[in-house]
Amino acid sequence: MLNINDLHARVEDTAILHGLNLEVKPGEVHAIMGPNGAGKSTLGNVLAGRPGYEVTGGTVTYKGSDLLELEAEDRARAGVFLAFQYPVEIPGVSNMEFLKASVDAIRTARGEEAMSSMDFIKLAREKCKAVDLPQDFLKRGVNEGFSGGEKKRNELLQMMLLEPSLCILDETDSGLDIDALQVVARGVNALRSPDRGIIVVTHYQRLLDYIVPDYVHVLAKGRIVKSGGRELALELEKHGYSWIDEEVA
Amino acid sequence: MSENIDQYLKSEYSAGWITDIESLTIPPGLNEDVIRLISAKKQEPEWMLEWRLKAYRAWLEMKEPEWAHVVYPKPDFQALSYYSSPKSMEDGPQSLDEVDPELLRTYEKLGIPVHEQEVLAGVAVDMVFDSVSVGTTFRQKLKDAGVIFCPISEAVHEYPELVKKYLGSVVPQKDNFYAALNSAVFSDGSFVYIPKGVRCPMELSTYFRINEAKTGQFERTLIIADEGSQVSYLEGCTAPMRDENQLHAAVVELVALDDADIKYSTVQNWYPGDAEGKGGIYNFVTKRGIAHTRSKISWTQVETGSAVTWKYPSCILKGDDSIGEFYSVALTSNHQQADTGTKMIHLGKNTRSTIIAKGISAKQSSNSYRGLVKMNPGAEGARNYTQCDSLLIGDKCGAHTFPYIESKNPTAVIEHEATTSKVSDDQLFLCQQRGIDAEKAVSMIVNGFCKDVFRELPMEFAVEAGKLLEVSLEGAVG
């Protein structure tokens, strides 16, 4: 589903990714771990097409076509979803309005009919319950005055409504207490399916206790330097990242 | 026999009318003879002519104001024609095929029915049946309630006492340069009188007023709400209006007598000029209301049109416990310039005012908020709350805020909040990452920004206003 080959990218004048390789097949959950500044967030942003992130080499193939050719909104419509590390506020625009516009745009792109408002409200309320958000969140401005945990759960709510093919979670666990972490993990696990790929970017092993990955990759200095199974994460937890740094050097 | 006479009179009248418009030409320029001629054309009584002349003489002594934050070539007032008889329909486009396709595209986006498109674009269509039937039911209902709603030129003849008493009572002839000019040469406009204790049975809209299309460039509106009455008045239209007059100088006067309530909503979408800033209407408007004891005046405006806007709908809170409100969205794009805001003059005790102003600037435009809050010595316990927010789209536009606060009463409370924000790249990217394209995203963000004001608009207007912002912002994201 996703094939990243020798990807180089920079942000403004700083080169961050230096030849990254990764393959994600449908049904797989990949965890990407690494020290601060390794390029973890850059990877998610490059895949989602964020302005300011410039690809300087390599290829990314998604479902058989060149992902890098597409505009950000077209990537989203093709099923690429990025759960943001720091979701921004859009004052005055209600969550409901935002979610409806988003679901409509993506359904239209898939050739499906737009949902009726009534059906949508019903669905949105149901998904709210699943991520433990009270229903009045739908009426509030997008992320407006939300706590850190509420913002992350709101990202998850969007993911559940849009049912993307490829989910990228960018440090979704940062700033979450253990209860919120479990809610998020439960949501992500519910989304695991044979035709969906999931990339979990995280600094801590903790999240992987709840979202058990099929593969763990260590990202350091802009490249995947080590890959393995679940046990690699535990090893990192024990020895820290300096061990990797030494090995790479 | 009498039927025949009727028939004869009718045809005579219409024939006379046609001859009238075809033969009438007034050369450009302004002098007392021109004013006498305008007054004579309208068969005005002597007092009305004197009133106009007084305004004209005052205007001669006045200078065009230059304090506003706008730059434009000053109109040559002697090169303008001050009485343009209604143009013959044959001069206009004969069908929509002859209308600027860009204009049609906009109509389509706003979802305006073809028949209305024709009227707005000035196509020669027979509107008579429609307007007569709509107008008649409408007028009957108002008449039953005792409400007067007619062209001001008609009111001068039918209700001279009311006009004499209130015309110029809120905006005197000498008030300012444009108001003086308007007073001297005003073409037509609306007159509204709501009798004591009457709640106007429907929202009054210029859209339904017969002769609306030809009010001309110097519109004059006078609304009087008698004691304990209530009225909501809608002015304008979301569709861009074709107009060959570049200068518009309107005056609106509102009189809210004790316990009365006037709500005045405007959607202004005059031609803003093209993307290079050529053409476009200069809109210099004086709008003011006087609020007597326990009465309330509420202005709501959505301004997206005109090349230059100079407009400060104001309230004089004369009576104790009176309330003034101003809710405004002003959007500028391309090379548009807007200097708009309000004045809240607190004279009475415990008077209250609220100002919510939202300015949006895109492309190379300039958007200024200018507002005065004045607490006079008698304004014991008066309060004002002002919130003034600017939103910038792109990095070539400008937003300016000029608040003036004068308080001469130590018990008065004035609060002022102001913010300036940008539609950020992060907000846009969040929307795009959720499949929403940039233009839709900007329109959603802008509509969210304006929500506090749209809430104040009558329901139907609010939906249209949202759509209007979307169309006006097209291409604002690079």
Side-chain angles (χ1 to χ4, degrees):
Chain A
M1 133 176 302
L2 180 73
N3 233 310
I4 305 175
N5 190 21
D6 194 26
L7 184 65
H8 289 71
R10 66 177 179 200
V11 182
E12 280 160 13
D13 290 332
T14 315
I16 299 196
L17 299 183
H18 307 277
L20 186 143
N21 296 296
L22 181 69
E23 193 189 350
V24 178
K25 293 202 179 86
E28 293 177 350
V29 175
H30 291 248
I32 298 197
M33 304 185 68
N36 290 326
K40 298 196 299 291
S41 286
T42 302
L43 176 62
N45 284 317
V46 165
L47 293 178
R50 189 180 202 123
Y53 289 75
E54 195 192 339
V55 174
T56 49
T59 58
V60 179
T61 313
Y62 170 71
K63 289 186 177 173
S65 48
D66 184 357
L67 183 70
L68 303 177
E69 280 278 290
L70 299 178
E71 295 291 327
E73 63 260 36
D74 292 324
R75 297 184 197 194
R77 290 167 187 176
V80 175
F81 183 98
L82 173 67
F84 290 92
Q85 185 178 3
Y86 304 111
V88 290
E89 301 187 0
I90 309 182
V93 177
S94 79
N95 229 355
M96 183 69 97
E97 188 187 345
F98 176 74
L99 292 170
K100 176 85 165 67
S102 170
V103 168
D104 282 352
I106 282 175
R107 286 179 71 102
T108 309
R110 285 189 202 148
E112 295 167 24
E113 263 179 56
M115 257 180 154
S116 79
S117 296
M118 286 311 287
D119 287 348
F120 181 77
I121 291 170
K122 222 174 117 192
L123 181 70
R125 285 188 177 154
E126 197 180 294
K127 301 291 182 195
C128 257
K129 213 175 279 174
V131 293
D132 219 10
L133 282 174
Q135 284 180 9
D136 68 306
F137 264 73
L138 294 168
K139 289 185 198 145
R140 285 170 60 182
V142 177
N143 295 320
E144 205 180 345
F146 288 18
S147 72
E150 287 167 342
K151 282 183 184 173
K152 296 295 172 71
R153 275 182 280 165
N154 200 31
E155 292 293 291
L156 196 66
L157 173 68
Q158 292 166 34
M159 198 159 91
M160 293 179 127
L161 280 168
L162 297 178
E163 302 184 326
S165 310
L166 177 67
C167 308
I168 306 159
L169 290 94
D170 187 8
E171 306 218 16
T172 299
D173 52 334
S174 69
L176 291 190
D177 63 29
I178 196 76
D179 294 332
L181 191 73
Q182 282 175 349
V183 170
V184 167
R186 203 166 60 221
V188 174
N189 285 330
L191 278 168
R192 287 179 93 142
S193 94
D195 46 13
R196 180 173 288 133
I198 299 176
I199 300 175
V200 180
V201 176
T202 182
H203 188 74
Y204 300 105
Q205 186 308 117
R206 191 177 64 154
L207 178 65
L208 306 181
D209 288 341
Y210 302 99
I211 305 172
V212 179
D214 300 305
Y215 301 95
V216 174
H217 308 276
V218 180
L219 180 61
K221 300 190 173 149
R223 285 186 297 136
I224 303 272
V225 293
K226 204 171 177 65
S227 297
R230 167 86 230 276
E231 67 289 346
L232 179 57
L234 296 168
E235 218 170 313
L236 285 170
E237 166 114 312
K238 213 182 274 172
H239 303 292
Y241 288 112
S242 53
W243 155 70
I244 294 287
D245 282 345
E246 281 159 29
E247 204 161 279
V248 175
Chain B
M1 181 68 190
S2 73
E3 222 177 296
N4 280 341
I5 290 173
D6 268 4
Q7 208 59 40
Y8 175 75
L9 285 174
K10 254 187 199 160
S11 60
E12 179 74 302
Y13 176 69
S14 69
W17 189 65
I18 286 166
T19 322
D20 205 341
I21 50 172
E22 280 179 350
S23 63
L24 181 74
T25 47
I26 291 190
L30 188 54
N31 54 50
E32 295 205 1
D33 287 342
V34 169
I35 289 163
R36 282 176 209 283
L37 195 53
I38 292 170
S39 189
K41 276 287 142 203
K42 296 176 171 292
Q43 299 172 322
E44 285 176 352
E46 188 61 25
W47 61 265
M48 193 67 248
L49 172 63
E50 282 310 316
W51 197 87
R52 286 178 182 273
L53 288 172
K54 196 176 148 201
Y56 173 69
R57 286 165 198 149
W59 179 75
L60 284 178
E61 307 291 314
M62 298 168 100
K63 276 206 165 62
E64 200 172 351
E66 291 188 343
W67 43 262
H69 191 77
V70 291
V71 183
Y72 60 96
K74 295 271 176 290
D76 178 356
F77 293 95
Q78 290 304 334
L80 294 176
S81 179
Y82 290 87
Y83 191 92
S84 50
S85 59
K87 269 205 164 181
S88 149
M89 279 301 198
E90 279 91 60
D91 291 347
Q94 296 302 301
S95 77
L96 284 176
D97 297 340
E98 295 172 32
V99 174
D100 180 5
E102 191 62 27
L103 195 63
L104 292 181
R105 225 169 51 88
T106 309
Y107 288 158
E108 219 133 90
K109 283 195 190 118
L110 289 168
I112 294 164
V114 172
H115 185 68
E116 281 178 42
Q117 291 187 18
E118 290 174 330
V119 176
L120 290 162
V123 174
V125 284
D126 187 6
M127 264 286 281
V128 176
F129 291 106
D130 255 24
S131 57
V132 164
S133 57
V134 172
T136 319
T137 27
F138 188 65
R139 283 197 161 195
Q140 191 54 46
K141 212 166 160 188
L142 290 177
K143 204 178 155 196
D144 292 347
V147 170
I148 302 168
F149 180 35
C150 67
I152 199 159
S153 56
E154 198 178 307
V156 169
H157 295 284
E158 304 287 325
Y159 313 101
E161 291 316 310
L162 284 172
V163 176
K164 254 193 236 177
K165 183 169 177 191
Y166 291 109
L167 187 71
S169 69
V170 191
V171 180
Q173 288 121 303
K174 299 178 195 178
D175 189 78
N176 67 69
F177 183 82
Y178 303 113
L181 180 63
N182 173 288
S183 302
V185 301
F186 72 86
S187 28
D188 212 334
S190 298
F191 176 82
V192 176
Y193 173 77
I194 316 288
K196 267 185 199 173
V198 170
R199 192 193 178 107
C200 188
M202 62 188 72
E203 275 166 343
L204 298 181
S205 162
T206 45
Y207 185 86
F208 287 113
R209 206 188 57 221
I210 299 162
N211 287 338
E212 151 67 7
K214 299 297 171 200
T215 44
Q217 60 198 117
F218 300 103
E219 191 168 352
R220 183 104 199 177
T221 298
L222 175 58
I223 298 176
I224 304 148
D226 212 326
E227 290 171 20
S229 70
Q230 215 175 19
V231 63
S232 168
Y233 185 90
L234 315 181
E235 170 200 49
C237 172
T238 51
M241 296 274 269
R242 205 180 70 112
D243 195 306
E244 54 273 17
N245 298 312
Q246 204 183 17
L247 176 70
H248 279 244
V251 171
V252 176
E253 294 179 276
L254 309 183
V255 179
L257 296 174
D258 293 359
D259 301 294
D261 185 336
I262 302 177
K263 185 175 173 67
Y264 193 104
S265 314
T266 306
V267 170
Q268 186 267 118
N269 191 18
W270 293 106
Y271 182 55
D274 64 16
E276 275 74 50
K278 284 200 202 85
I281 304 276
Y282 295 165
N283 196 25
F284 303 119
V285 187
T286 307
K287 289 183 166 177
R288 195 176 303 150
I290 187 158
H292 291 266
T293 307
R294 290 178 306 274
S295 70
K296 177 175 166 187
I297 290 177
S298 181
W299 298 101
T300 306
Q301 58 171 20
V302 176
E303 302 275 320
T304 61
S306 299
V308 179
T309 300
W310 180 98
K311 180 181 173 186
Y312 316 92
S314 306
C315 298
I316 300 170
L317 302 172
K318 186 182 176 203
D320 293 350
D321 302 297
S322 59
I323 298 173
E325 293 174 340
F326 175 73
Y327 300 98
S328 167
V329 166
L331 180 146
T332 53
S333 188
N334 292 323
H335 293 270
Q336 282 178 280
Q337 305 172 67
D339 192 303
T340 184
T342 184
K343 287 188 267 185
M344 291 292 172
I345 316 288
H346 292 250
L347 305 179
K349 288 193 194 86
N350 300 316
T351 45
R352 277 173 291 152
S353 64
T354 304
I355 299 171
I356 310 280
K358 306 271 180 177
I360 302 144
S361 355
K363 297 191 178 170
Q364 297 87 11
S365 67
S366 159
N367 201 324
S368 304
Y369 167 81
R370 189 182 300 277
L372 168 69
V373 177
K374 188 172 180 177
M375 302 294 185
N376 270 40
E380 200 71 17
R383 294 186 74 104
N384 161 265
Y385 173 74
T386 299
Q387 188 190 328
C388 176
D389 300 322
S390 307
L391 184 69
L392 303 171
I393 302 170
D395 54 10
K396 293 187 184 69
C397 53
H400 315 272
T401 307
F402 303 97
Y404 305 81
I405 294 171
E406 286 174 36
S407 185
K408 292 180 179 145
N409 187 306
T411 64
V413 178
I414 301 171
E415 287 176 76
H416 183 100
E417 281 183 32
T419 65
T420 301
S421 55
K422 275 189 75 166
V423 173
S424 76
D425 291 344
D426 287 350
Q427 287 173 330
L428 276 183
F429 182 60
L430 169 61
C431 294
Q432 287 174 287
Q433 215 304 302
R434 299 302 182 250
I436 302 163
D437 63 62
E439 282 199 350
K440 168 84 184 147
V442 168
S443 119
M444 206 162 68
I445 294 167
V446 168
N447 271 299
F449 175 76
C450 299
K451 202 160 78 180
D452 296 344
V453 174
F454 285 176
R455 236 200 302 263
E456 298 298 324
L457 285 171
M459 182 69 165
E460 222 181 271
F461 247 33
V463 175
E464 284 184 31
K467 229 171 358 174
L468 176 60
L469 290 193
E470 189 171 325
V471 173
S472 306
L473 278 172
E474 241 178 39
V477 216

